[in-house]
Amino acid sequence: METAEIRNRWLRFFSERDHAVVPSASLLLDDPNLLFVNAGMVPFKPYFLGQEQPPSKRVTSVQKCVRTLDIEEVGKTTRHGTFFQMNGNFSFGDYFKERAIELAWELVTKPQSEGGYGFPESKLLATVYQDDDEAYGLWKRIAGLPENRIVRLGKKENFWSMGVPGPGGPCSEILIDRGPEYGAEGDVEGAGDRYLEFWNLVFMEFDLSAVRSKDDFDIAGDLPAKSIDTGMGLERVAFLLQGVDNLYEIDEVRPVLDRAADLAGKQYGADHADDVRLRVVADHIRSALMIIGDGVTPGNEGRGYVLRRVLRRAVRSMRLLGVEDPTFPELFAVSKDMMKASYPELETDWARISAIAYAEEEAFRQTLRAGTQIFDMAAIAIKAAGGTQLSGTDAFKLHDTFGFPIDLTLEMASEAGIDVDQQEFRRLMAEQRDRAKADAKAKKTGHLDLSAYRDLAAASGATTFTGYTEVVSEGTVRGLLVDGELASSAHEGNDVELVLDRTPFYAEGGGQLGDHGRITLDNGAVVEVLDVQAPLPGFTVHRARVLSGEVAIGASADASVDLDRRLAISRAHTATHMVHKAFREALGETATQMGSENSPGRLRFDFPNAAAVPPSVLADVEARVNAVLLDDLDVTAEIMSPDQARATGAMALFGEKYGERVRVVSVGDWARELCGGTHTNRTGQLGVVKLLGEASIGAGIRRVEALVGTDAYRFLAREHHLVAQLTEALKVRPEELPERVDGILTRLKDAERELDKLRSGRLLESAPALAAAARDFSGTAVVVSQIPDGTTADDLRALALDIRGRLPVDRAGAVALATVPVDKPIVVVAVNDVARNRGIKAGALVRVAAQALGGGGGGKDDVAQGGGTDPNAVLAALAAVEAAVTAVGIG
């Protein structure tokens, strides 16, 4: 049975049993505890917690999920995949354990000819939480399972939570016995694959807090209503029903694996190590496809880092399979074709998705080339010094600084005939992980526990936003937090989080910064609003400071937005829509907004593009936007359903969460987007838009910044003044400035080259005297000298080679010169053939000198260069070279 059919049967089965079918949410949800949706129930958390009203008391979905905690296990087991799909059926205060078990057993065991999955009852088992006698009895009565096929398990296995504060409860799992070839009989909790869980029924009863581990947490209280959350792993059921051995071999994944094997000239199943790599490629390509599809771009933090890691592991695995050419154009296309039946948007957005993936592959291939060169230099230095091992520090530096994977380092070290200090590398990696965990924990605790906001929301209710039509409004103080704790009052000097029943203040969202302003209470107290956030949907929190008086719950308040700031931000937000539209006209539909910030009078706009945007295109976009400003088009907003919005051609942005009703902002008939932000009434109110330029912020992602309104005017006025000063100083017309400045720069460069020649010539004049001053160290003629500061590395190298050439050819000779070009010292060592035959190597000597300078270096046996950080250690470095030469001579 194909994966798409398993999915369709699920949705059809529950739809026929009064469940509303809910489409998969984006992988990206606004949850401070999660980078990605990692379970099917995550989009439904507000319903379990009673924060929002569900569309129906019964719903079903097939949810996209990503988990990367066990990424190192991908390919090694049948269980681990970074991207997976979770089939779920949910009850919010409707049916509970009995009906959930009835539905699960019916669908699992019903014959395939009748719309079920047709699993043989004789091979199925159930697990229950150790104290859940009710579930135990239901499995006996409903499914007719004998007691030896109902297993009680502890909290670690059968009490479900997301690993973070939120809903949870005891659970019951359905497992299948795959037979003795997969493990020992009765070993349900063992590490083998014999008893495979594929459906988990969670009996949601509790609101968990202080989650320290899977089996160590506090129960804050009961949920508003007993509910059901079940999850069936789509990929697991697919490989069970398709008769294959693991999730990498199902119909949606195996074609990618096969194409990777073809590119590598490998036979899947012939070699375990190669099989693991092929499975990693198949899994990671699909995961990256889905993550990019939901709007993530590679980066060095958060979701972007996860994506980059997945992509680079795929490149690395293909490299270990022997393929060094680009493979993503082949592999991503296959994965897209396999997944588009369930996710047609992958076909629609293919140009954008592929551009991002291919650019990241090329960037990492360049990293691999650079890392290879660095490794080769290190290997040469190790052998020259008589060593046999690359230090763990160097391996870690390759990994951490240059992104060079450790397994490639191990592979290349083996080829070079040296070892790697893996113990030291692992220690450094562990220290890095500990630092990262501590940092992540610190950042997480930087957020107030959402339970504080939930308590506040429960006490104060939702906030009515009035800011689309007014910037001053009356309201009542409904909630107050001081130092993260619920409070009934606050006083002068307190930093507070204040909730009104209605507010004109816009909460940060959709790229638009939150409003500033003041709230004045009826008792005369004044509060300065410094930021506005919406930690929960429909719930606005004013982060503020009490300037005077006392703030108390129930007080009447006049809320007033900083109008000048709001107007400047609104102009920037409207300009962002217009710049977005103009770029799509100029570059094509793939130039879709992937991030923005609208601040007072300034905007930034991110979009995918494989290369830098030519200046001529930037000029065209700027001209197009300003032409529309002159047309003075109406800017309007309408509320409609998502289907109606799509019918009008309105754009939705990646990663944004939209409800059943959406707000569509239109700039005349020219640009139309789903947007909750504030805008001008007409385009003419923007005044002028000035693009400042564009730059790369990651592989395949460009960022444009612009000024709007008076900020743009001030910039242009300043630029005009600078041009006027230059034209006056150079006595030319403005249009002649580029040619005149270019001529001046050309003459300046010519003069600098002449000066360099004179300086180099004068420096080389000192070579005869320095060579004549060579001293004998254990039979080697040695020249050491500190050359005047400001000498370039190239000149220092040329001088060293000149001196070496003046030493007697029949006698060992070594030259060590040091200087400080700017603020960091450098050293160059050159030795002749006789010295090398005696074992005196330039690379070894330069490392001795560089160590004294607080740095490092390397090079060939005849000439090498290094440097450091301590300019006061030059003489000590030269003395160390003399000592090293003496030691070789004595030896």
Side-chain angles (χ1 to χ4, degrees), residues 212-247:
R212 294 170 288 275
S213 68
K214 186 169 177 60
D215 55 352
D216 184 14
F217 48 80
D218 297 335
I219 295 179
D222 294 336
L223 293 175
K226 290 184 177 181
S227 299
I228 287 294
D229 155 32
T230 78
M232 185 191 81
L234 181 55
E235 283 77 10
R236 286 196 185 183
V237 172
F239 79 70
L240 290 171
L241 292 181
Q242 292 173 16
V244 296
D245 204 42
N246 54 61
L247 61 87

mmCIF file of all heavy atoms in Angstrom, residues 212-247:
data_model
loop_
_atom_site.group_PDB
_atom_site.id
_atom_site.type_symbol
_atom_site.label_atom_id
_atom_site.label_comp_id
_atom_site.label_asym_id
_atom_site.label_seq_id
_atom_site.Cartn_x
_atom_site.Cartn_y
_atom_site.Cartn_z
ATOM 1 N N ARG A 212 11.872 18.127 33.449
ATOM 2 C CA ARG A 212 13.325 17.956 33.549
ATOM 3 C C ARG A 212 13.832 16.822 32.668
ATOM 4 O O ARG A 212 14.978 16.834 32.223
ATOM 5 C CB ARG A 212 13.697 17.710 35.016
ATOM 6 C CG ARG A 212 13.426 18.925 35.909
ATOM 7 C CD ARG A 212 13.569 18.585 37.382
ATOM 8 N NE ARG A 212 12.475 17.757 37.864
ATOM 9 C CZ ARG A 212 11.286 18.223 38.296
ATOM 10 N NH1 ARG A 212 11.058 19.531 38.289
ATOM 11 N NH2 ARG A 212 10.353 17.405 38.725
ATOM 12 N N SER A 213 13.000 15.835 32.439
ATOM 13 C CA SER A 213 13.328 14.739 31.543
ATOM 14 C C SER A 213 12.021 14.036 31.203
ATOM 15 O O SER A 213 10.946 14.439 31.662
ATOM 16 C CB SER A 213 14.313 13.755 32.188
ATOM 17 O OG SER A 213 13.689 13.052 33.258
ATOM 18 N N LYS A 214 12.121 12.983 30.403
ATOM 19 C CA LYS A 214 10.915 12.286 29.972
ATOM 20 C C LYS A 214 10.125 11.710 31.136
ATOM 21 O O LYS A 214 8.898 11.626 31.090
ATOM 22 C CB LYS A 214 11.280 11.173 28.980
ATOM 23 C CG LYS A 214 10.078 10.482 28.352
ATOM 24 C CD LYS A 214 10.490 9.609 27.205
ATOM 25 C CE LYS A 214 9.289 8.864 26.617
ATOM 26 N NZ LYS A 214 8.251 9.756 26.121
ATOM 27 N N ASP A 215 10.819 11.314 32.206
ATOM 28 C CA ASP A 215 10.111 10.732 33.340
ATOM 29 C C ASP A 215 10.305 11.527 34.628
ATOM 30 O O ASP A 215 10.118 11.009 35.725
ATOM 31 C CB ASP A 215 10.553 9.284 33.552
ATOM 32 C CG ASP A 215 12.051 9.144 33.720
ATOM 33 O OD1 ASP A 215 12.765 10.149 33.527
ATOM 34 O OD2 ASP A 215 12.521 8.043 34.038
ATOM 35 N N ASP A 216 10.666 12.804 34.484
ATOM 36 C CA ASP A 216 10.866 13.660 35.654
ATOM 37 C C ASP A 216 10.253 15.022 35.368
ATOM 38 O O ASP A 216 10.830 15.834 34.648
ATOM 39 C CB ASP A 216 12.363 13.777 35.973
ATOM 40 C CG ASP A 216 12.615 14.585 37.246
ATOM 41 O OD1 ASP A 216 11.656 14.815 38.006
ATOM 42 O OD2 ASP A 216 13.777 15.005 37.465
ATOM 43 N N PHE A 217 9.087 15.278 35.940
ATOM 44 C CA PHE A 217 8.373 16.521 35.693
ATOM 45 C C PHE A 217 7.371 16.743 36.820
ATOM 46 O O PHE A 217 7.117 15.854 37.646
ATOM 47 C CB PHE A 217 7.644 16.474 34.341
ATOM 48 C CG PHE A 217 6.840 15.214 34.124
ATOM 49 C CD1 PHE A 217 5.579 15.053 34.686
ATOM 50 C CD2 PHE A 217 7.362 14.176 33.358
ATOM 51 C CE1 PHE A 217 4.862 13.892 34.497
ATOM 52 C CE2 PHE A 217 6.645 13.002 33.167
ATOM 53 C CZ PHE A 217 5.380 12.862 33.745
ATOM 54 N N ASP A 218 6.815 17.935 36.846
ATOM 55 C CA ASP A 218 5.761 18.263 37.802
ATOM 56 C C ASP A 218 4.434 18.336 37.067
ATOM 57 O O ASP A 218 4.383 18.665 35.867
ATOM 58 C CB ASP A 218 6.039 19.602 38.477
ATOM 59 C CG ASP A 218 7.322 19.583 39.294
ATOM 60 O OD1 ASP A 218 7.724 18.483 39.733
ATOM 61 O OD2 ASP A 218 7.921 20.658 39.476
ATOM 62 N N ILE A 219 3.364 18.042 37.763
ATOM 63 C CA ILE A 219 2.025 18.192 37.198
ATOM 64 C C ILE A 219 1.420 19.453 37.798
ATOM 65 O O ILE A 219 1.126 19.515 38.999
ATOM 66 C CB ILE A 219 1.151 16.955 37.492
ATOM 67 C CG1 ILE A 219 1.741 15.728 36.774
ATOM 68 C CG2 ILE A 219 -0.290 17.197 37.051
ATOM 69 C CD1 ILE A 219 0.981 14.437 37.014
ATOM 70 N N ALA A 220 1.269 20.482 36.940
ATOM 71 C CA ALA A 220 0.755 21.768 37.411
ATOM 72 C C ALA A 220 -0.730 21.687 37.734
ATOM 73 O O ALA A 220 -1.232 22.451 38.556
ATOM 74 C CB ALA A 220 1.013 22.848 36.353
ATOM 75 N N GLY A 221 -1.445 20.774 37.086
ATOM 76 C CA GLY A 221 -2.875 20.641 37.319
ATOM 77 C C GLY A 221 -3.526 19.866 36.202
ATOM 78 O O GLY A 221 -2.865 19.360 35.286
ATOM 79 N N ASP A 222 -4.837 19.763 36.278
ATOM 80 C CA ASP A 222 -5.599 19.070 35.241
ATOM 81 C C ASP A 222 -5.850 19.996 34.065
ATOM 82 O O ASP A 222 -5.950 21.223 34.212
ATOM 83 C CB ASP A 222 -6.948 18.597 35.803
ATOM 84 C CG ASP A 222 -6.788 17.533 36.887
ATOM 85 O OD1 ASP A 222 -5.740 16.854 36.876
ATOM 86 O OD2 ASP A 222 -7.692 17.411 37.728
ATOM 87 N N LEU A 223 -5.953 19.401 32.882
ATOM 88 C CA LEU A 223 -6.372 20.161 31.715
ATOM 89 C C LEU A 223 -7.852 20.524 31.861
ATOM 90 O O LEU A 223 -8.589 19.897 32.639
ATOM 91 C CB LEU A 223 -6.152 19.346 30.443
ATOM 92 C CG LEU A 223 -4.694 19.071 30.067
ATOM 93 C CD1 LEU A 223 -4.619 18.153 28.852
ATOM 94 C CD2 LEU A 223 -3.947 20.365 29.784
ATOM 95 N N PRO A 224 -8.317 21.529 31.110
ATOM 96 C CA PRO A 224 -9.728 21.933 31.215
ATOM 97 C C PRO A 224 -10.699 20.793 30.961
ATOM 98 O O PRO A 224 -11.803 20.776 31.508
ATOM 99 C CB PRO A 224 -9.856 23.024 30.151
ATOM 100 C CG PRO A 224 -8.481 23.571 29.999
ATOM 101 C CD PRO A 224 -7.569 22.407 30.215
ATOM 102 N N ALA A 225 -10.320 19.830 30.119
ATOM 103 C CA ALA A 225 -11.193 18.690 29.834
ATOM 104 C C ALA A 225 -10.322 17.517 29.430
ATOM 105 O O ALA A 225 -9.264 17.685 28.820
ATOM 106 C CB ALA A 225 -12.175 19.031 28.710
ATOM 107 N N LYS A 226 -10.753 16.303 29.768
ATOM 108 C CA LYS A 226 -10.037 15.118 29.337
ATOM 109 C C LYS A 226 -10.136 14.997 27.822
ATOM 110 O O LYS A 226 -11.222 15.121 27.253
ATOM 111 C CB LYS A 226 -10.619 13.877 30.005
ATOM 112 C CG LYS A 226 -10.337 13.802 31.501
ATOM 113 C CD LYS A 226 -10.864 12.500 32.087
ATOM 114 C CE LYS A 226 -10.509 12.400 33.572
ATOM 115 N NZ LYS A 226 -10.999 11.128 34.161
ATOM 116 N N SER A 227 -9.004 14.752 27.213
ATOM 117 C CA SER A 227 -8.958 14.769 25.751
ATOM 118 C C SER A 227 -8.125 13.605 25.234
ATOM 119 O O SER A 227 -7.451 12.911 26.006
ATOM 120 C CB SER A 227 -8.385 16.102 25.255
ATOM 121 O OG SER A 227 -9.187 17.186 25.673
ATOM 122 N N ILE A 228 -8.169 13.422 23.931
ATOM 123 C CA ILE A 228 -7.429 12.341 23.279
ATOM 124 C C ILE A 228 -6.497 12.922 22.228
ATOM 125 O O ILE A 228 -6.876 13.791 21.432
ATOM 126 C CB ILE A 228 -8.400 11.338 22.613
ATOM 127 C CG1 ILE A 228 -9.097 10.500 23.672
ATOM 128 C CG2 ILE A 228 -7.668 10.436 21.620
ATOM 129 C CD1 ILE A 228 -8.187 9.571 24.453
ATOM 130 N N ASP A 229 -5.279 12.427 22.241
ATOM 131 C CA ASP A 229 -4.293 12.740 21.200
ATOM 132 C C ASP A 229 -3.687 11.414 20.775
ATOM 133 O O ASP A 229 -3.010 10.760 21.565
ATOM 134 C CB ASP A 229 -3.217 13.677 21.750
ATOM 135 C CG ASP A 229 -1.893 13.567 20.993
ATOM 136 O OD1 ASP A 229 -1.927 13.301 19.786
ATOM 137 O OD2 ASP A 229 -0.829 13.742 21.632
ATOM 138 N N THR A 230 -3.956 10.972 19.571
ATOM 139 C CA THR A 230 -3.315 9.751 19.109
ATOM 140 C C THR A 230 -2.385 10.081 17.955
ATOM 141 O O THR A 230 -2.603 11.040 17.211
ATOM 142 C CB THR A 230 -4.331 8.686 18.648
ATOM 143 O OG1 THR A 230 -4.805 9.009 17.360
ATOM 144 C CG2 THR A 230 -5.488 8.588 19.604
ATOM 145 N N GLY A 231 -1.367 9.266 17.825
ATOM 146 C CA GLY A 231 -0.423 9.464 16.738
ATOM 147 C C GLY A 231 -0.003 8.148 16.132
ATOM 148 O O GLY A 231 0.454 7.243 16.846
ATOM 149 N N MET A 232 -0.173 8.022 14.835
ATOM 150 C CA MET A 232 0.294 6.840 14.111
ATOM 151 C C MET A 232 1.403 7.264 13.166
ATOM 152 O O MET A 232 1.189 8.141 12.308
ATOM 153 C CB MET A 232 -0.847 6.195 13.316
ATOM 154 C CG MET A 232 -0.441 4.890 12.649
ATOM 155 S SD MET A 232 -1.662 4.293 11.455
ATOM 156 C CE MET A 232 -1.241 5.300 10.029
ATOM 157 N N GLY A 233 2.571 6.683 13.335
ATOM 158 C CA GLY A 233 3.696 7.043 12.477
ATOM 159 C C GLY A 233 3.459 6.571 11.052
ATOM 160 O O GLY A 233 3.443 5.366 10.788
ATOM 161 N N LEU A 234 3.272 7.519 10.139
ATOM 162 C CA LEU A 234 2.936 7.168 8.760
ATOM 163 C C LEU A 234 4.040 6.340 8.116
ATOM 164 O O LEU A 234 3.779 5.342 7.430
ATOM 165 C CB LEU A 234 2.673 8.438 7.945
ATOM 166 C CG LEU A 234 2.279 8.266 6.477
ATOM 167 C CD1 LEU A 234 1.074 7.359 6.337
ATOM 168 C CD2 LEU A 234 1.998 9.622 5.834
ATOM 169 N N GLU A 235 5.290 6.744 8.324
ATOM 170 C CA GLU A 235 6.404 6.021 7.705
ATOM 171 C C GLU A 235 6.530 4.605 8.268
ATOM 172 O O GLU A 235 6.840 3.661 7.538
ATOM 173 C CB GLU A 235 7.709 6.785 7.907
ATOM 174 C CG GLU A 235 7.890 7.990 6.992
ATOM 175 C CD GLU A 235 7.078 9.202 7.411
ATOM 176 O OE1 GLU A 235 6.511 9.182 8.534
ATOM 177 O OE2 GLU A 235 7.005 10.164 6.646
ATOM 178 N N ARG A 236 6.293 4.446 9.571
ATOM 179 C CA ARG A 236 6.392 3.102 10.161
ATOM 180 C C ARG A 236 5.328 2.176 9.581
ATOM 181 O O ARG A 236 5.614 1.032 9.229
ATOM 182 C CB ARG A 236 6.251 3.178 11.676
ATOM 183 C CG ARG A 236 7.478 3.730 12.363
ATOM 184 C CD ARG A 236 7.465 3.438 13.835
ATOM 185 N NE ARG A 236 8.599 4.090 14.487
ATOM 186 C CZ ARG A 236 8.890 3.965 15.776
ATOM 187 N NH1 ARG A 236 8.122 3.217 16.545
ATOM 188 N NH2 ARG A 236 9.930 4.585 16.299
ATOM 189 N N VAL A 237 4.104 2.670 9.493
ATOM 190 C CA VAL A 237 3.041 1.843 8.932
ATOM 191 C C VAL A 237 3.331 1.551 7.467
ATOM 192 O O VAL A 237 3.079 0.450 6.967
ATOM 193 C CB VAL A 237 1.674 2.535 9.100
ATOM 194 C CG1 VAL A 237 0.584 1.791 8.346
ATOM 195 C CG2 VAL A 237 1.319 2.621 10.582
ATOM 196 N N ALA A 238 3.916 2.524 6.756
ATOM 197 C CA ALA A 238 4.238 2.316 5.341
ATOM 198 C C ALA A 238 5.232 1.178 5.177
ATOM 199 O O ALA A 238 5.049 0.293 4.329
ATOM 200 C CB ALA A 238 4.783 3.602 4.736
ATOM 201 N N PHE A 239 6.306 1.148 5.980
ATOM 202 C CA PHE A 239 7.273 0.072 5.729
ATOM 203 C C PHE A 239 6.751 -1.270 6.207
ATOM 204 O O PHE A 239 7.110 -2.315 5.665
ATOM 205 C CB PHE A 239 8.680 0.428 6.235
ATOM 206 C CG PHE A 239 8.984 0.298 7.690
ATOM 207 C CD1 PHE A 239 9.076 -0.929 8.312
ATOM 208 C CD2 PHE A 239 9.274 1.432 8.443
ATOM 209 C CE1 PHE A 239 9.418 -1.045 9.646
ATOM 210 C CE2 PHE A 239 9.614 1.331 9.779
ATOM 211 C CZ PHE A 239 9.680 0.090 10.385
ATOM 212 N N LEU A 240 5.841 -1.256 7.206
ATOM 213 C CA LEU A 240 5.228 -2.515 7.615
ATOM 214 C C LEU A 240 4.297 -3.054 6.534
ATOM 215 O O LEU A 240 4.306 -4.255 6.230
ATOM 216 C CB LEU A 240 4.457 -2.322 8.920
ATOM 217 C CG LEU A 240 5.308 -2.075 10.181
ATOM 218 C CD1 LEU A 240 4.421 -1.682 11.343
ATOM 219 C CD2 LEU A 240 6.132 -3.316 10.519
ATOM 220 N N LEU A 241 3.491 -2.176 5.945
ATOM 221 C CA LEU A 241 2.532 -2.621 4.933
ATOM 222 C C LEU A 241 3.178 -2.856 3.572
ATOM 223 O O LEU A 241 2.632 -3.577 2.739
ATOM 224 C CB LEU A 241 1.397 -1.597 4.803
ATOM 225 C CG LEU A 241 0.465 -1.471 6.014
ATOM 226 C CD1 LEU A 241 -0.636 -0.450 5.743
ATOM 227 C CD2 LEU A 241 -0.158 -2.821 6.372
ATOM 228 N N GLN A 242 4.323 -2.212 3.311
ATOM 229 C CA GLN A 242 4.989 -2.377 2.025
ATOM 230 C C GLN A 242 5.987 -3.535 2.039
ATOM 231 O O GLN A 242 6.621 -3.822 1.017
ATOM 232 C CB GLN A 242 5.675 -1.071 1.622
ATOM 233 C CG GLN A 242 4.688 0.038 1.288
ATOM 234 C CD GLN A 242 5.340 1.388 1.039
ATOM 235 O OE1 GLN A 242 6.544 1.482 0.814
ATOM 236 N NE2 GLN A 242 4.540 2.444 1.060
ATOM 237 N N GLY A 243 6.133 -4.177 3.191
ATOM 238 C CA GLY A 243 6.991 -5.351 3.262
ATOM 239 C C GLY A 243 8.464 -5.053 3.131
ATOM 240 O O GLY A 243 9.246 -5.912 2.697
ATOM 241 N N VAL A 244 8.881 -3.832 3.500
ATOM 242 C CA VAL A 244 10.302 -3.497 3.462
ATOM 243 C C VAL A 244 10.814 -3.429 4.893
ATOM 244 O O VAL A 244 10.058 -3.509 5.859
ATOM 245 C CB VAL A 244 10.553 -2.175 2.712
ATOM 246 C CG1 VAL A 244 10.157 -2.318 1.257
ATOM 247 C CG2 VAL A 244 9.803 -1.017 3.359
ATOM 248 N N ASP A 245 12.125 -3.259 5.015
ATOM 249 C CA ASP A 245 12.749 -3.457 6.311
ATOM 250 C C ASP A 245 12.827 -2.207 7.169
ATOM 251 O O ASP A 245 13.006 -2.286 8.373
ATOM 252 C CB ASP A 245 14.155 -4.016 6.114
ATOM 253 C CG ASP A 245 14.637 -4.772 7.342
ATOM 254 O OD1 ASP A 245 13.824 -5.528 7.918
ATOM 255 O OD2 ASP A 245 15.804 -4.598 7.724
ATOM 256 N N ASN A 246 12.718 -1.011 6.554
ATOM 257 C CA ASN A 246 12.840 0.211 7.340
ATOM 258 C C ASN A 246 12.226 1.374 6.588
ATOM 259 O O ASN A 246 11.830 1.254 5.419
ATOM 260 C CB ASN A 246 14.311 0.496 7.676
ATOM 261 C CG ASN A 246 15.181 0.525 6.444
ATOM 262 O OD1 ASN A 246 14.979 1.347 5.556
ATOM 263 N ND2 ASN A 246 16.149 -0.397 6.372
ATOM 264 N N LEU A 247 12.154 2.518 7.253
ATOM 265 C CA LEU A 247 11.465 3.674 6.667
ATOM 266 C C LEU A 247 12.219 4.272 5.484
ATOM 267 O O LEU A 247 11.646 5.045 4.706
ATOM 268 C CB LEU A 247 11.216 4.741 7.739
ATOM 269 C CG LEU A 247 12.419 5.365 8.448
ATOM 270 C CD1 LEU A 247 12.977 6.552 7.688
ATOM 271 C CD2 LEU A 247 12.028 5.797 9.863
#
